[in-house]
Amino acid sequence: MQTIDDLNVAGRRVLVRTDFNVPLETLADGTRHITDDGRIRAALPTITALRDRGARVILVAHLGRPKDGPSVELSLAPISRRLGELLGSTVVLASDVSGEGAARAVGAMHDGDVVLLENVRFDARETSKDAAVRGALAVELAALADIFVSDGFGVVHREQASVTDVARLLPHAAGKLVLSEAQVFSKVLSDPDRPYVVILGGSKVSDKLGVITNLLTKVDRLLVGGGMCFTFLAAMGYNVGSSLLEVDQIETVKNLIAQAAARNVELVLPVDVVVATAFSADAEHKIVAADQIEDGWMGLDIGPNSQLLFASRITDAKTVVWNGPMGVFEMTPYAQGTRAVATAITEVNGLTVVGGGDSAAAVRLLGIDEHGFTHISTGGGASLELLEGRVLPGLAVLED
Ligand code: ADP
Ligand code: MG
């Protein structure tokens, strides 16, 4: 994979695909406010390196899922403002994606300038299933630049005009973010130091079945918490009350449990859980053993004994991959399991990787020091697909 260090960018127009799909809230006065600018910050090293080397940096990104073309709500205007603040210089927002507005903005650039194209998904060709349709947009994007840099890790699992098609039309390289994400996942997938511990949580087993199946061939221990653990507990024959349960996955999970045993993978499930009478922070709640969940109660977090157990299976690890919160961390009474696991990971002396949008959000919400982890992935879907062992089109295209 070529990197930006391999390219001569001075005086060149460099089109950089970034992931600026940040959460926004609309304030009372109607202005839109970025609630978490982590993804913008994650793009800064590549943008800064290119500018320092005299490139003209043209950024292409999406926000949300526009339905019918351009709209004020999904304009990248708040992002160009925030990026300008972070860079300490003007970022010009083009008035369109690849039309006259883009051509005008790019035509006026000097070396070191930064232009942000409008939300690329304002153009429906970006996400078309038809390669020829996408290709037509890619040709227009490629005409704006001399070089393409892929730095939006959150989209590299997508076959889209600004991700894959344009890479085929221009000399290309991986940006610093994509490179570091690709290197970390390649290490945990192909050459992990041991003990290798994977911790999975979150809401749905079915979302993460592919990950479990692939990782069972590689890991030493698999710890399962979060909403998905109840399908495991049900597969063990326990009552799970009104906890999240994917009945149609019970047989598959029984199979996974058997596979783990056959491969000598230590499968660790909660031994106690926090159960509540409703999915609410105010609901009556208590701690029960994992095999003592009564009807009318739902499990919303792993219990204190499970927290100790999980921490004890984490601390001596040399590689940790964590995806998915251990409980409904958004509600204080059910945040303790996620906090305990996250904290245990920060104490590990080895490579620690957090994948998954909600897990990264949990780290920030719970105020855990992000520097305590080797790597917090910026791409939820992309990181899951890598952990499933898939080849991602936006990475594969950078190999040629
Ligand atoms: P990630 O984005 O990190 O991959 P997921 O999207 O799979 O994680 O799941 C995150 C969600 O799972 C969170 O919103 C959290 O509230 C929810 N969750 C965790 N534990 C439970 C539980 N026991 N019951 C219901 N929802 C849960
Ligand atoms: Mg999620």
Side-chain angles (χ1 to χ4, degrees), residues 45-187:
T46 295
I47 297 171
T48 305
L50 291 170
R51 295 180 77 198
D52 287 350
R53 289 165 54 198
R56 303 174 181 202
V57 181
I58 306 160
L59 303 168
V60 56
H62 76 278
L63 178 64
R65 295 170 184 266
K67 289 263 156 0
D68 323 288
S71 68
V72 178
E73 294 74 54
L74 291 176
S75 163
L76 297 189
I79 289 152
S80 67
R81 274 195 299 276
R82 184 76 191 114
L83 179 61
E85 286 164 17
L86 292 168
L87 290 173
S89 61
T90 318
V91 171
V92 173
L93 177 67
S95 58
D96 58 27
V97 177
S98 61
E100 277 171 28
R104 209 176 315 122
V106 170
M109 290 178 91
H110 298 106
D111 296 353
D113 281 355
V114 182
V115 162
L116 174 62
L117 303 178
E118 250 305 2
N119 189 342
V120 66
R121 291 194 189 165
F122 283 172
D123 191 321
R125 294 177 294 177
E126 165 72 356
T127 54
S128 171
K129 295 267 175 286
D130 185 336
V133 173
R134 289 197 314 270
L137 171 58
V139 166
E140 293 177 19
L141 290 170
L144 296 169
D146 308 301
I147 292 169
F148 175 70
V149 168
S150 173
D151 211 29
F153 182 70
V155 289
V156 290
H157 58 315
R158 306 284 190 207
E159 186 78 64
Q160 292 176 347
S162 70
V163 180
T164 50
D165 301 277
V166 72
R168 298 189 180 100
L169 300 174
L170 289 172
H172 49 254
K176 289 175 181 287
L177 176 64
V178 159
L179 186 69
S180 73
E181 296 261 15
Q183 283 172 341
V184 164
F185 283 101
S186 151
K187 171 78 181 165

Side-chain angles (χ1 to χ4, degrees), residues 201-204 207-208 226-227 230 244 279 299-301 323-330 355-360 384:
S203 43
K204 285 174 82 183
D207 280 358
K208 294 179 186 176
F230 299 100
L244 264 191
F279 190 83
L300 295 180
D301 196 9
N323 181 296
M326 295 294 102
V328 184
F329 69 93
E330 299 93 334
D358 291 289
S359 315
L384 276 183

Side-chain angles (χ1 to χ4, degrees), residues 310-324:
F310 280 29
S312 77
R313 309 316 290 140
I314 291 170
T315 35
D316 66 333
K318 285 285 167 284
T319 305
V320 177
V321 173
W322 171 38
N323 181 296

Side-chain angles (χ1 to χ4, degrees), residues 243-280:
S243 308
L244 264 191
L245 174 64
E246 288 178 73
V247 178
D248 56 336
Q249 301 295 343
I250 293 178
E251 280 312 306
T252 314
V253 167
K254 280 186 184 166
N255 242 312
L256 291 173
I257 294 174
Q259 266 182 52
R263 292 185 176 274
N264 269 324
V265 172
E266 186 187 337
L267 176 64
V268 184
L269 296 172
V271 290
D272 57 356
V273 290
V274 181
V275 291
T277 49
F279 190 83
S280 152

